[in-house]
Amino acid sequence: MSPMTPDAADALTELHAHDMAGALRAGIVSARELAAAHLARTHRTDQGLHAWLSIDDERALAEADAADARLSAARAAGPDALAALHPMHGVPVALKDLVSIRGGQATAGSRILEGYIAPYDAHITERLRAAGAVILGKTNMDEFAMGSSTEHSAYGPTANPWDLGRVPGGSSGGSAAAVAAFQTPVSIGTDTGGSIRQPASMCGVTGMRPTYGRVSRYGIVAFASSLDQVGPFGRDARDAAALLHAVAGRDERDSTSAPIAVPDDLISLPAGDDEAAGWLRGKRFGIPAEYFPAGMDAGVDARIREAIAALEAAGAVVEPVSLPHTEYALAAYYIVAPAEASSNLARYDGVRFGHSIRGGSDYLSNYLATRGGGFGPEVKRRIMLGTYALSAGYYDAFYLKALKVRTLIKRDFDLLWEQGFDALVAPTAPSVAFKFGAKTADPVEMYLADACTLPVNMAGLPGITTPCGLSDGLPVGLQFIGAPWSEAALFRAARAYEGVTAGAEWRSMRPHDLAALEDPAVPTPAERAARH
Amino acid sequence: MVFPYHRGMATLTRADVEHVAHLARLGLAEHELTELEGQLNHILEQYAKLAELDTDDIPPTAQVIDLETILRDDVVRPSLDPAAVLANAPERDGDFFVVPAILGGD
């Protein structure tokens, strides 16, 4: 095929992954052209966004060529062979920089893993390769996924393409911003307390945290092992669902991954808006009062209530419900997560891999220097909190207490599933994207950014966020929370909401600062953040 | 402010902070210890909220899905490539990691 003009290449980056899949099968476009178009746009626009920590053109183009070869073979073999290719085949994808790719970096946003080269592929990396997806590179994140703004990355913050003076949310801020800015159609993140849903909400894209156990964490840098899950970002429900379908399922190398079938519904969501919206008729949604506290951001509150009204108008049954222990979830989470983190991060001892300071008077001084110099401030805070909560004399008062409160939080949700609710509907984040520096002075202010998402992690549930309009010109996310293993229903709900609002004016809006990203003199996010 | 703070008693002294840093094997500078003393106490105040709940008869939840431990088949399979693993070693001696001495001393 002849080389494309830059405009034609850019048009490719604005397709949905499901449209790319169709164009690839029809022979209208090649996987190499898709990869090259996204790489070009990313190199051109990432100075002002800093969504990426590494981009591997050579590997991506080689993977794209392999995908094209398989496409040609399938086309020659006939319609069945073409139909057997995964919807992600030939589609570009970005991975949060805590997913292992053999021979590549996996910094987890930390200096302590600078220079580390992964000796093996994560399970999801293997699955993406098997599906024929093309991995473009690795995205920025809060160090060890601890944060809600990506400002805690040791490699500098990421900006929000809707307003380059604001954060993209976090911790998977790079993955969210890259999808919103058309640098990749889909990406992978992890969600321990909201780290997929909250940045997806703030960047105006779709993001899902699946049920605990749905996706293997083998080869993914651990933060809090009873809470961590891997999940997808996309510019619509169908794209995110297809990516989840590619990576989900049992893997014996992660003993918490569940032997539960991955529904093919994930790759057959309705294309038509009316058909999608029709799913809502008779569905029963609970609206938890505790997720609408007095004093919440008025614009967010208004958008969520409008969205609920739209669901109701489309035939859904909407009922007020209560999750009475919600107000205790934040405190319990900030005991459980740091406790698990302090244990997980004990492995960074400078002996087998990563940052290492040697030459001290004894082994202890080497550890102190290696860890003291390798971890950033938020990670140190969490390690200190977790170590304290687990230390002799405080275990019962903090950690055990938090685990008991976790039981109460989970029971609140279980009661609603027993009553037959199809999903709960709530805001994803209490506010729209905030300015750089707005919450870095007070750790608790930052922790509150996850108040609407972390109860879901404590209960191990799936949750999805889908864009539902703007407040002050910034995206608002609508969250659906479901019973365990109800991912397909949550995607149907998000897809239905897309159908109901297909004609809304805000649906056609693009991030405001895409043009600014084209300016070669655009300030970096670190430069912008330094002004605050 | 959406979700209110909970004021309570500060519980950590400077000596506590230094002790926890030692347990966590974190070498911290003076200014970090000072900053952490304030921040950790501020965060611990939020924990006080949990005391409102009577949890004496509530069992703890350490993990959330109903899964029995699943054992894999006991078959021999390739392990990681030693060269790739050892390539990350800060200090190595052939196929061994050089580990700081933890016994003896001078």
Side-chain angles (χ1 to χ4, degrees):
Chain A
M1 287 177 227
S2 57
M4 292 200 162
T5 63
D7 282 355
D10 257 14
L12 291 181
T13 63
E14 309 209 0
L15 296 174
H16 287 292
H18 52 82
D19 294 326
M20 295 179 194
L24 284 162
R25 279 156 188 73
I28 297 168
V29 73
S30 68
R32 188 183 181 89
E33 285 169 328
L34 285 174
H38 285 89
L39 289 167
R41 184 161 188 165
T42 299
H43 286 298
R44 201 179 71 224
T45 59
D46 205 45
Q47 176 176 307
L49 200 63
H50 191 45
W52 302 72
L53 293 182
S54 74
I55 304 162
D56 193 333
D57 293 60
E58 200 179 325
R59 187 192 59 220
L61 292 171
E63 287 179 5
D65 287 344
D68 282 329
R70 275 172 67 189
L71 257 170
S72 298
R75 207 173 284 121
D80 289 352
L82 261 187
L85 293 176
H86 195 274
M88 287 301 300
H89 187 93
V91 173
V93 59
L95 306 182
K96 189 177 183 177
D97 200 24
L98 45 45
V99 180
S100 299
I101 302 175
R102 197 159 98 96
Q105 70 174 49
T107 65
S110 181
R111 291 280 172 216
I112 212 161
L113 279 169
E114 195 167 16
Y116 168 75
I117 300 298
Y120 63 99
D121 278 338
H123 178 73
I124 68 161
T125 304
E126 293 178 355
R127 293 289 303 272
L128 287 168
R129 290 190 201 288
V134 174
I135 300 168
L136 301 177
K138 310 292 287 295
T139 54
N140 198 13
M141 58 182 286
D142 285 298
E143 184 175 1
F144 284 102
M146 298 175 188
S148 308
S149 69
T150 318
E151 290 168 288
H152 294 315
S153 169
Y155 303 95
T158 295
N160 190 315
W162 288 84
D163 178 346
L164 297 180
R166 291 175 187 265
V167 303
S171 66
S172 312
S175 288
V179 169
F182 301 100
Q183 295 174 330
T184 180
V186 291
S187 64
I188 287 286
T190 55
D191 190 317
T192 303
S195 284
I196 291 173
R197 289 161 290 155
Q198 185 257 20
S201 169
M202 291 188 170
C203 289
V205 300
T206 299
M208 169 179 269
R209 173 217 143 80
T211 311
Y212 183 82
R214 180 61 96 177
V215 183
S216 165
R217 286 99 45 93
Y218 177 76
I220 290 171
V221 178
F223 162 15
S225 297
S226 81
L227 301 160
D228 296 343
Q229 251 299 283
V230 181
F233 290 91
R235 286 193 296 270
D236 69 10
R238 291 171 70 194
D239 287 2
L243 179 56
L244 176 63
H245 185 271
V247 299
R250 169 72 185 159
D251 165 29
E252 66 178 24
R253 297 167 298 187
D254 175 356
S255 61
T256 66
S257 77
I260 290 178
V262 179
D264 283 336
D265 280 11
L266 293 173
I267 50 172
S268 56
L269 292 176
D273 290 325
D274 291 342
E275 185 195 350
W279 180 85
L280 288 169
R281 275 190 292 277
K283 291 293 182 295
R284 213 172 140 222
F285 296 133
I287 314 298
E290 293 80 2
Y291 286 65
F292 298 80
M296 85 181 273
D297 189 305
V300 173
D301 185 65
R303 291 300 89 74
I304 302 300
R305 291 185 193 280
E306 287 160 15
I308 292 167
L311 296 170
E312 206 170 5
V317 179
V318 168
E319 296 171 39
V321 297
S322 177
L323 294 163
H325 295 94
T326 301
E327 61 177 317
Y328 302 97
L330 187 88
Y333 175 87
Y334 275 99
I335 294 171
V336 172
E340 294 184 9
S342 72
S343 169
N344 270 327
L345 271 56
R347 77 190 64 183
Y348 300 100
D349 57 6
V351 172
R352 291 151 302 152
F353 55 85
H355 176 72
S356 179
I357 302 293
R358 300 213 170 185
S361 54
D362 58 5
Y363 77 98
L364 186 60
S365 63
N366 290 343
Y367 288 159
L368 294 175
T370 294
R371 292 165 60 79
F375 291 130
E378 181 60 26
V379 174
K380 287 176 181 170
R381 263 194 296 279
R382 306 265 186 128
I383 291 174
M384 291 287 288
L385 278 172
T387 303
Y388 178 64
L390 293 173
S391 65
Y394 297 99
Y395 180 89
D396 284 5
F398 291 121
Y399 188 65
L400 190 62
K401 180 82 181 182
L403 293 186
K404 291 178 165 193
V405 174
R406 188 175 190 177
T407 304
L408 296 173
I409 294 164
K410 185 171 181 296
R411 282 183 185 171
D412 283 353
F413 285 108
D414 287 346
L415 275 174
L416 296 179
W417 310 138
E418 285 163 20
Q419 291 171 35
F421 284 97
D422 291 289
L424 309 180
V425 184
T428 305
S431 76
V432 294
F434 43 90
K435 290 183 173 163
F436 286 120
K439 296 182 192 287
T440 43
D442 181 350
V444 176
E445 278 284 345
M446 189 70 86
Y447 299 170
L448 286 164
D450 287 336
C452 299
T453 47
L454 59 82
V456 170
N457 301 66
M458 291 292 273
L461 303 172
I464 192 168
T465 183
T466 184
C468 68
L470 304 176
S471 169
D472 297 328
L474 296 165
V476 177
L478 177 71
Q479 183 175 207
F480 292 92
I481 300 165
W485 319 113
S486 70
E487 287 87 350
L490 293 184
F491 274 114
R492 282 195 182 282
R495 177 71 195 102
Y497 180 72
E498 289 173 357
V500 167
T501 55
E505 190 189 353
W506 56 264
R507 281 244 171 249
S508 60
M509 294 186 68
R510 294 147 49 85
H512 306 308
D513 279 348
L514 290 182
L517 291 174
E518 302 286 346
D519 179 358
V522 65
T524 67
E527 287 165 353
R528 288 178 195 275
R531 296 180 197 161
H532 290 273
Chain B
M1 197 48 248
V2 176
F3 292 81
Y5 282 10
H6 306 287
R7 301 285 169 202
M9 293 292 288
T11 48
L12 279 179
T13 65
R14 171 66 169 242
D16 292 334
V17 175
E18 289 174 9
H19 175 63
V20 174
H22 174 76
L23 290 176
R25 301 294 186 260
L26 287 174
L28 300 175
E30 283 299 312
H31 75 272
E32 289 181 297
L33 290 166
T34 304
E35 203 172 279
L36 277 166
E37 185 184 342
Q39 290 174 336
L40 294 178
N41 278 310
H42 178 40
I43 296 164
L44 290 174
E45 284 168 6
Q46 317 306 312
Y47 293 176
K49 173 86 183 157
L50 299 182
E52 293 172 10
L53 290 172
D54 177 1
T55 52
D56 285 353
D57 299 326
I58 307 296
T61 294
Q63 74 95 29
V64 285
I65 49 170
D66 298 323
L67 265 191
E68 305 271 318
T69 297
I70 307 164
L71 300 178
R72 67 167 172 79
D73 294 337
D74 186 16
V75 294
V76 178
R77 62 187 69 189
S79 299
L80 296 179
D81 171 20
V85 172
L86 281 152
N88 282 303
E91 204 178 336
R92 62 186 280 193
D93 181 358
D95 275 357
F96 296 92
F97 294 99
V98 174
V99 175
I102 56 167
L103 298 173
D106 50 23

